[in-house]
Amino acid sequence: METTLRPATLAHPDRFADRHLGTDADAQREMLDALGFESLDALTAATVPAAIRYEGALNLPAALSERELLDEARRRADDNQVYRSYLGMGYYGTITPPVILRNVLENPGWYTQYTPYQAEIAQGRLEALLNFQTVVTDLCGLPIANASLLDEATAAAEAMTLFHNAAKGDRATFFVDHRCHPQTIAVLQQRAEPQGLTVTVGDWHAFTPDDSVFGALVQYPATDGEVADYRAFAEAVHGAGALLAVATDLLALTLLEAPGAWGADVALGSSQRFGVPMGYGGPHAAFFATREEFKRLMPGRIIGLSKDAQGNPALRMALQTREQHIRREKATSNICTAQVLLAVMAGMYAVYHGPEGLRSIATRTHRMARLLARGAERLGHEVVHADFFDTVRIRLADGFTAADVVAAAADRGINLRQFEDDTVGVAFDETVGAGDVDDVLVALAGRGAAVGFSAEEGALDDEAAYTGAMGRETDYLTHPVFHRYHAEHEMLRYLKRLENRDLSLAHSMIPLGSCTMKLNATAEMIPVTLPGFANVHPFVPREQARGYAAVVKDLEAWLAEITGFAAVSLQPNSGAMGEYTGLLAIRAYHLSRGDDHRTVCLIPSSAHGTNPASAVMAGMEVVVVKATERGEVDVDDLKAKAAQHADKLAALMITYPSTHGVFEATIRDIADAIHLNGGLVYMDGANMNAQVGLTRPGDFGMDVCHLNLHKTFAIPHGGGGPGMGPICVNEKLAPFLPGHPVVEGVGGAEATGPVAAAPWGSAAVLLISWAYCAMMGPDGLKRASQTAILNANYMADRLEGRYDVLYRGPNGRVAHEFILDLRPFQKAGVQAEDVAKRLMDYGYHAPTMSFPVAGTLMIEPTESEVKAELDRFCEAMLAIRDEIEAVENGTLDRADNPLKHAPHTAAVVTADDWAHAYPRSQAAYPAPWTREAKFWPSVGRVDNAYGDRNLICACPPLDAYEGGGGGVDE
């Protein structure tokens, strides 16, 4: 059936697909005419191989309008019961300052930014992340921190990996104290098993490390609230030649001594309670700090200070933090993302409150816990630990059971934690007042019994300050940035000033191949901050989260239908984590059949760098398959290697459409060759946005795929996170989907261990993809794929001739992205980086640079851009080609030309001195639209090598700036 183009005049003003798709019928007709096709379906037929095309209609609900979707979202939010959850375990109620809620979390100027690989147009976000790193290094007492990780449990697993990589000798045991959070212990056990490591869980008091131990983890404060003095244990660990990781809490560290001051080699945890809603488990920014000697083993991204071409301070990502793309199977981690938006929020929470404000919040929280402890003792109960921060563990008096107390609390809208020994845990937070303490005391008094006093009447006679073990002695947050912006007006201006230094989708198209910077519609984003979704603890009883359960059920069913698979896990909270989870399912399948010898994973040489790193993490041996000159999988080499390793073959990892932006017609043959030799096929679903409604991986031989919800399904990049990477699997692999140690009913019948801290990963952002699918409907989703293919082919054809398009499919078509080869210009001294930087002067973010082929740009326009924007970008690229030609023919000097000196800042082009042969106007306003709305890069070209040689990854000292004055903002 031919797809009908929508009329130029909207049939319904609230029909979402017509808002999401940028090009209307007239524009699409012009583009199709330029390509020589009668219809979108004809273009699809020429692009997607006939053997894999899905000719049916997706069995999905009819599209909702924006108003209908928001009404339904509010109903689902109301179906959640938002209790006061004093469960702890790393998740707490928090108060998001409204100035941060409105101007960061709900602001497309922040949430539609891309990862800051192009530092010159990301200085605001980089400064915000530097603030976050400074908060972490100061509170943890360690010199270097990264810009965030996915969650606390996986951060602990990264610490274990770092310690093992740093270990000397044949050490394979990692000790974990049993008072660590249960989800952290389970993630560590799952991460260790494929690596051949042993996780020993026990009591740190009784554990004596020896030369088999490479590391240990303790919780500070412990999951049951105890503040323990670990100094002797740290000495014992170090004495045995091992390293110590400490899972901790940033708010607690405002009152407790920094882990780095008493022996921690790594400190890690979650920054969630710094103003980030619980959101049923995420997204939240984990933190990770370590000693200087481990900086090159550290996972994730590190923001560091360098200088630009004019010698001014400039920030950028340091130390080749995309190393998994460079080192591949030798990478120390497969982490290629962060939780940037949430790290920005947490850092700004600290900026807004400052050290005194944070200390006050912590002290008040601790005071409420002490009031509870005093009241519990007056009721005849026993407080288990003398020293605690916010969490009180209570041993109940005779005649009481934990189940009864928990039920009595639930009657008053409160969730309490029940421990295995029938004790009760109460974890307070900054939202708690004396009335909340009274409600818990009522539950502790027993049903029908009178308390006889109130928290106010039982108020502490002594000072509220923390006086227990390990009190804080070292100072923190002394930098001026944490003392300047406590007035809301100043905070608002600071946030806006930083936002203005970052190019986002609010400014222009971000045409990044493989990264899919599409519209993140406002209607999709609104549900995330509805209180009924935002304020739910991930470990509440299932009946309190019926609204979330309905969203999860919908999304799992829809993704299964879209991909043609039998089951879905929404737990992986990044694309790379999805890769790892899919391979764990394959591994578990082989082990269930007694095929423990199947450990070889074939991976094409053109694959994403995270693929081989994920395979190694899953305990597999990587064997590389060649690519042809056209960038496709060399099928002959693949068949030969599959046969060669038939006895050991576990899997093939393949990206489809290919990383080179082409639908490979041999995909069924590839899958058959793997299956013939006993392996299973994992499809990297990074490019699923070219397939939805057009083909289904489960129908053409794939066994499992992951999906980047932050690409195909509209979750925003958030400057480098949040993201989600759920996996879709066939019947063979469904039993092995990951489970969870706290929440029952998660995962398959033979579930593997969890890969993330929360049962459904970053559940709050699942709402965005749920809303996207609900509003697009089956027809809209198909049209999105077709329009993405149309836009990419239109741009490729416009640029062909002036640039070489590196790879095309059998009919001369590209998929949703294409690669321009800039290597021929190297003869004139022009590099791909020069083109990338010059695009900034035109108001554009560069396409993906030098991936998957060095010296190229990979361009992806997405379906949500209008034709006028596609044309503007093409005109910019064509104008840059004219400048390259001028260098080639000698009209422009090889060293002194707009490309080499790009980007041009306002300070440079307005300076009294202008020493270049080309005019200022060409530097600053190279295209007509730049005079209408100019985005100015805030720094010149950044010197990356200088920053790595002189690493500064916290707010720099005042003398780092000419004339002094303060933070990077100065």
Side-chain angles (χ1 to χ4, degrees):
M1 180 184 296
E2 292 289 300
T3 298
T4 302
L5 299 178
R6 79 174 196 251
T9 302
L10 295 176
H12 192 299
D14 197 21
R15 191 168 138 190
F16 177 75
D18 292 335
R19 301 291 193 186
H20 177 84
L21 301 175
T23 50
D24 63 15
D26 292 338
Q28 288 187 359
R29 182 71 272 151
E30 290 178 28
M31 295 161 73
L32 288 166
D33 287 346
L35 295 173
F37 289 94
E38 288 296 317
S39 65
L40 284 174
D41 290 323
L43 175 60
T44 300
T47 306
V48 182
I52 66 167
R53 280 204 300 273
Y54 181 65
E55 300 297 345
L58 291 174
N59 184 21
L60 300 175
L64 299 180
S65 69
E66 291 186 340
R67 177 179 175 180
E68 290 168 336
L69 179 281
L70 291 174
D71 287 344
E72 183 62 20
R74 292 185 183 101
R75 282 192 291 271
R76 302 284 180 99
D78 290 343
D79 285 341
N80 293 323
Q81 297 172 282
V82 183
Y83 281 30
R84 289 166 285 174
S85 288
Y86 305 146
L87 298 167
M89 290 185 275
Y91 302 94
Y92 301 89
T94 187
I95 299 169
T96 308
V99 68
I100 296 174
L101 176 71
R102 176 62 57 87
N103 294 289
V104 178
L105 181 57
E106 297 178 340
N107 181 356
W110 282 98
Y111 66 68
T112 71
Q113 300 160 348
Y114 182 58
T115 307
Y117 295 126
Q118 297 293 338
E120 296 83 357
I121 50 175
Q123 288 295 299
R125 179 167 15 122
L126 289 166
E127 178 172 337
L129 291 175
L130 198 72
N131 291 344
F132 174 81
Q133 290 178 182
T134 303
V135 172
V136 173
T137 56
D138 275 16
L139 290 176
C140 292
L142 289 163
I144 187 167
N146 67 22
S148 75
L149 293 174
L150 299 174
D151 61 32
E152 180 170 340
T154 55
E158 295 294 338
M160 178 177 67
T161 300
L162 185 155
F163 287 175
H164 189 245
N165 289 335
K168 294 180 173 63
D170 187 18
R171 296 170 179 252
T173 298
F174 187 71
F175 172 79
V176 182
D177 184 65
H178 67 95
R179 279 174 290 259
C180 291
H181 296 321
Q183 70 274 18
T184 299
I185 295 173
V187 167
L188 283 166
Q189 290 169 328
Q190 175 57 73
R191 185 73 71 90
E193 190 269 332
Q195 299 291 316
L197 304 178
T198 299
V199 171
T200 298
V201 181
D203 188 335
W204 69 272
H205 295 92
F207 181 75
T208 302
D210 57 25
D211 61 6
S212 70
V213 176
F214 65 86
L217 174 72
V218 294
Q219 192 93 36
Y220 173 71
T223 192
D224 66 355
E226 183 184 18
V227 176
D229 185 344
Y230 293 116
R231 285 175 289 197
F233 182 67
E235 290 178 5
V237 169
H238 292 147
L243 300 170
L244 179 65
V246 176
T248 189
D249 178 298
L250 293 179
L251 191 63
L253 292 182
T254 66
L255 304 182
L256 302 181
E257 188 54 273
W262 51 258
D265 300 291
V266 164
L268 60 96
S270 171
S271 64
Q272 177 265 315
R273 69 191 309 176
F274 272 28
V276 181
M278 287 185 286
Y280 205 39
H284 307 137
F287 61 87
F288 192 105
T290 190
R291 301 194 183 282
E292 185 78 19
E293 57 263 39
F294 301 127
K295 63 187 178 185
R296 292 193 179 272
L297 295 176
M298 187 180 223
R301 299 168 180 150
I302 304 171
I303 308 308
L305 180 68
S306 186
K307 63 179 182 178
D308 72 0
Q310 286 73 47
N312 300 312
L315 298 166
R316 65 347 149 217
M317 294 199 296
L319 296 178
Q320 296 288 352
T321 50
R322 290 188 83 188
E323 68 153 12
Q324 78 287 346
H325 287 290
I326 300 164
R327 302 189 68 207
R328 302 175 71 80
E329 67 270 20
K330 296 180 182 178
T332 58
S333 170
N334 75 336
I335 291 294
C336 72
T337 190
Q339 299 282 28
V340 168
L341 184 68
L342 301 315
V344 169
M345 290 181 66
M348 290 304 175
Y349 180 93
V351 168
Y352 195 42
H353 288 296
E356 294 83 5
L358 293 178
R359 191 179 296 112
S360 175
I361 292 169
T363 299
R364 184 175 182 277
T365 301
H366 173 62
R367 181 181 180 84
M368 293 299 111
R370 290 175 67 184
L371 287 172
L372 174 67
R374 176 75 60 88
E377 289 174 335
R378 290 182 63 178
L379 290 170
H381 306 300
E382 177 189 351
V383 174
V384 175
H385 301 301
D387 295 323
F388 53 83
F389 163 57
D390 61 3
T391 300
V392 182
R393 186 171 186 174
I394 301 168
R395 183 170 288 112
L396 301 172
D398 290 344
F400 289 82
T401 67
D404 286 341
V405 170
V406 169
D411 290 342
R412 303 186 74 81
I414 292 173
N415 291 315
L416 301 181
R417 184 177 179 188
Q418 181 176 344
F419 289 94
E420 294 79 3
D421 63 352
D422 214 41
T423 55
V424 171
V426 186
F428 280 160
D429 55 56
E430 70 167 312
T431 69
V432 173
D436 301 301
V437 178
D438 282 339
D439 283 345
V440 176
L441 291 174
V442 169
L444 288 169
R447 281 194 169 110
V451 174
F453 61 91
S454 71
E456 292 287 357
E457 292 172 9
L460 303 174
D461 296 328
D462 53 354
E463 290 297 321
Y466 177 81
T467 57
M470 305 297 284
R472 184 94 190 192
E473 296 181 4
T474 54
D475 211 349
Y476 53 87
L477 304 187
T478 59
H479 194 278
V481 75
F482 300 106
H483 297 265
R484 282 201 180 134
Y485 305 110
H486 301 166
E488 181 170 337
H489 221 154
E490 283 301 288
M491 186 67 181
L492 172 65
R493 289 166 177 160
Y494 181 53
L495 291 171
K496 191 64 180 178
R497 196 152 61 241
L498 296 190
E499 178 193 341
N500 288 343
R501 294 176 183 173
D502 274 40
L503 188 143
S504 71
L505 284 174
H507 297 94
S508 58
M509 174 171 69
I510 300 179
L512 285 149
S514 189
C515 295
T516 316
M517 297 293 292
K518 69 198 293 176
L519 171 69
N520 314 121
T522 305
E524 296 159 5
M525 301 299 295
I526 286 174
V528 174
T529 52
L530 293 176
F533 286 126
N535 298 328
V536 181
H537 192 289
F539 302 154
V540 300
R542 295 285 288 271
E543 62 268 17
Q544 292 178 24
R546 289 194 176 98
Y548 264 115
V551 169
V552 165
K553 182 179 178 181
D554 281 348
L555 192 56
E556 287 179 348
W558 297 347
L559 296 180
E561 169 66 13
I562 287 167
T563 57
F565 283 114
V568 174
S569 170
L570 298 175
Q571 191 175 111
N573 49 13
S574 79
M577 191 63 66
E579 296 172 13
Y580 170 66
T581 309
L583 292 174
L584 287 182
I586 290 175
R587 183 175 186 274
Y589 168 79
H590 288 311
L591 290 175
S592 74
R593 295 159 55 87
D595 291 340
D596 54 352
H597 54 281
R598 291 196 174 274
T599 58
V600 167
C601 184
L602 303 183
I603 301 181
S605 60
S606 60
H608 291 133
T610 52
N611 286 181
S614 296
V616 170
M617 283 175 54
M620 296 183 181
E621 173 192 349
V622 174
V623 173
V624 177
V625 176
K626 295 177 184 177
T628 68
E629 290 184 0
R630 295 177 55 83
E632 300 174 350
V633 174
D634 186 325
V635 178
D636 290 338
D637 187 55
L638 178 136
K639 288 181 177 179
K641 284 175 176 165
Q644 176 187 350
H645 298 283
D647 291 342
K648 297 175 62 179
L649 184 62
L652 165 73
M653 297 186 79
I654 187 167
T655 301
Y656 199 77
S658 75
T659 309
H660 296 91
V662 174
F663 282 96
E664 298 184 40
T666 56
I667 187 64
R668 282 188 181 272
D669 293 338
I670 289 171
D672 289 345
I674 300 302
H675 292 148
L676 179 66
N677 289 283
L680 298 179
V681 182
Y682 168 92
M683 191 194 87
D684 185 318
N687 297 334
M688 190 68 199
N689 56 312
Q691 296 187 64
V692 177
L694 306 181
T695 183
R696 304 197 308 173
D699 293 346
F700 57 78
M702 306 297 102
D703 296 289
V704 52
C705 77
H706 90 267
L707 303 173
N708 292 87
L709 298 189
H710 49 285
K711 294 167 62 171
T712 301
F713 295 96
I715 291 175
H717 276 247
M724 282 289 276
I727 61 168
C728 307
V729 299
N730 59 17
E731 293 86 350
K732 290 180 180 179
L733 298 179
F736 308 107
L737 294 178
H740 197 272
V742 180
V743 180
E744 295 181 352
V746 179
E750 301 176 61
T752 59
V755 296
W760 291 280
S762 297
V765 293
L766 295 175
L767 298 163
I768 301 167
S769 297
W770 171 76
Y772 171 74
C773 292
M775 290 190 292
M776 290 294 283
D779 295 336
L781 289 169
K782 178 181 178 180
R783 268 203 296 149
S785 301
Q786 292 181 306
T787 306
I789 291 171
L790 171 65
N791 291 356
N793 278 279
Y794 172 74
M795 292 180 69
D797 278 24
R798 270 212 69 181
L799 296 174
E800 184 79 84
R802 302 301 306 282
Y803 296 92
D804 293 334
V805 175
L806 204 51
Y807 304 109
R808 289 182 180 269
N811 296 318
R813 295 295 107 210
V814 300
H816 61 299
E817 61 191 7
F818 60 97
I819 298 175
L820 295 184
D821 190 359
L822 305 188
R823 291 171 297 183
F825 310 140
Q826 292 174 2
K827 292 181 292 186
V830 176
Q831 307 294 328
E833 182 181 33
D834 299 322
V835 176
K837 303 307 181 187
R838 182 58 170 150
L839 274 168
M840 297 177 191
D841 292 328
Y842 288 81
Y844 283 108
H845 194 292
T848 303
M849 188 175 69
S850 293
F851 176 80
V853 180
T856 65
L857 295 179
M858 182 161 59
I859 297 172
E860 180 179 352
T862 83
E863 73 275 10
S864 54
E865 297 295 345
V866 299
K867 179 176 179 292
E869 184 72 355
L870 307 182
D871 285 332
R872 268 192 296 273
F873 182 80
C874 288
E875 287 158 13
M877 288 297 296
L878 294 171
I880 289 172
R881 181 65 184 92
D882 289 341
E883 292 178 342
I884 295 171
E885 191 172 278
V887 175
E888 290 172 324
N889 63 29
T891 305
L892 285 171
D893 185 80
R894 285 173 64 99
D896 183 23
N897 60 69
L899 291 140
K900 286 296 181 184
H901 294 296
H904 298 82
T905 65
V908 165
V909 298
T910 59
D912 293 338
D913 178 37
W914 181 258
H916 304 300
Y918 56 96
R920 297 174 194 257
S921 58
Q922 184 178 358
Y925 299 110
W929 63 83
T930 59
R931 292 187 177 275
E932 298 172 9
K934 173 72 176 179
F935 180 87
W936 289 100
S938 54
V939 299
R941 193 173 303 194
V942 176
D943 186 336
N944 292 314
Y946 176 87
D948 281 351
R949 290 193 305 270
N950 304 274
L951 184 64
I952 299 175
C953 65
C955 289
L958 301 183
D959 59 8
Y961 299 91
E962 184 177 353
V968 176
D969 180 55
E970 292 298 305

